Amino acid sequence: EIVMTQSPATLSVFPGERATLSCRASQNINSNLAWYRQYPGQTPRLLIYDASTRATGVPARFSASASGTEFTLTITSLQSEDFAVYYCHQYNNWPLTFGGGTKVEIK
Amino acid sequence: EVQLLESGGGLLQPGGSLRLSCATSGFIFSGFAMTWVRQAPGKGLEWVSAISDLDSVTYYADSVKGRFTISRDRSTNTLHLQMNSLRAEDTAVYYCAKRSGAWNGYLDSWGQGTLVTVAS
């Protein structure tokens, strides 16, 4: 099983600042990585797929990159609606796996 | 617009059975793989099961293998999850999600979820 490790678990950021979230895969997953955002009590929403492609309707302040088994999601100029939990997800191998999540909270 | 609507959740005792359904619309159901993902209270996301498009090849997490069965009904565009021998640790919100491809891919659309509570 591919283990996805997200860091940090919690990220405190001022509105308007940049947030950088990390996700590490325990083995090669090529670029088969997605990022999702989830508000409390709500459904996850796809933000990024294939490691760096923004999903339809996702603002340009969200960007993502990959280097080997290290993946990064960057949110520039955080807006109020960006404070949520973010999950990375690998779809390269069975079983599909998710990271433990990073909670982005208001500082 | 893709729509996924889960139903069938509820409260039941350990050892019981439940069948979840996910009614779909807005896309060609037979052309995409589908999955179930669950989320225990206060926890992260856990993949449960997946089914491919036409040939309905199925996959299961080890934690549910032998107890859960995923299926799809192309006549009604509905995804199902039959859950047997339920345990307390199966308590979670269960989401159905559409995959981006016929065989694999990321999860591009999610339902609103249905809560399953297993408790005595």
Side-chain angles (χ1 to χ4, degrees):
Chain A
E1 172 176 322
I2 296 178
V3 177
M4 306 300 292
T5 304
Q6 288 189 245
S7 61
T10 303
L11 187 59
S12 298
V13 186
F14 287 109
E17 287 193 335
R18 173 193 297 253
T20 302
L21 289 66
S22 297
C23 175
R24 172 182 294 178
S26 61
Q27 56 186 277
N28 179 38
I29 59 170
N30 300 297
S31 296
N32 293 317
L33 182 111
W35 290 92
Y36 303 91
R37 178 180 65 193
Q38 186 180 36
Y39 299 123
Q42 295 194 26
T43 293
R45 178 199 172 183
L46 175 69
L47 297 175
I48 301 288
Y49 62 91
D50 293 348
S52 62
T53 302
R54 280 193 302 275
T56 302
V58 175
R61 64 180 182 274
F62 289 88
S63 63
S65 62
S67 177
T69 58
E70 300 276 350
F71 299 86
T72 301
L73 174 68
T74 302
I75 313 169
T76 57
S77 188
L78 272 155
Q79 307 296 304
S80 58
E81 62 267 29
D82 300 333
F83 293 96
V85 179
Y86 292 80
Y87 294 96
C88 62
H89 159 57
Q90 71 80 19
Y91 47 94
N92 193 69
N93 285 47
W94 300 105
L96 306 182
T97 50
F98 293 87
T102 291
K103 180 180 180 180
V104 178
E105 63 177 25
I106 299 175
K107 191 172 184 178
Chain B
E1 178 191 4
V2 173
Q3 293 195 352
L4 306 172
L5 184 62
E6 302 93 335
S7 61
L11 170 63
L12 65 163
Q13 294 187 339
S17 296
L18 205 59
R19 189 192 198 204
L20 305 183
S21 297
C22 174
T24 74
S25 62
F27 66 102
I28 301 172
F29 182 66
S30 59
F32 294 91
M34 299 291 294
T35 67
W36 288 96
V37 174
R38 68 184 180 185
Q39 187 170 35
K43 302 298 184 182
L45 301 171
E46 179 190 13
W47 171 74
V48 173
S49 182
I51 187 167
S52 65
D53 62 338
L54 290 175
D55 55 2
S56 294
V57 177
T58 58
Y59 301 87
Y60 299 95
D62 285 346
S63 58
V64 306
K65 199 173 294 182
R67 300 187 298 123
F68 290 12
T69 302
I70 189 172
S71 62
R72 60 195 302 161
D73 184 340
R74 294 182 184 82
S75 67
T76 60
N77 294 338
T78 303
L79 180 72
H80 298 288
L81 186 68
Q82 177 67 42
M83 305 188 296
N84 299 330
S85 303
L86 282 160
R87 307 166 180 167
E89 54 265 36
D90 295 318
T91 294
V93 173
Y94 284 74
Y95 296 101
C96 74
K98 171 185 166 292
R99 300 195 74 177
S100 58
W103 173 255
N104 54 11
Y106 49 90
L107 309 182
D108 60 12
S109 299
W110 297 62
Q112 89 292 342
T114 186
L115 176 62
V116 174
T117 304
V118 184
S120 53

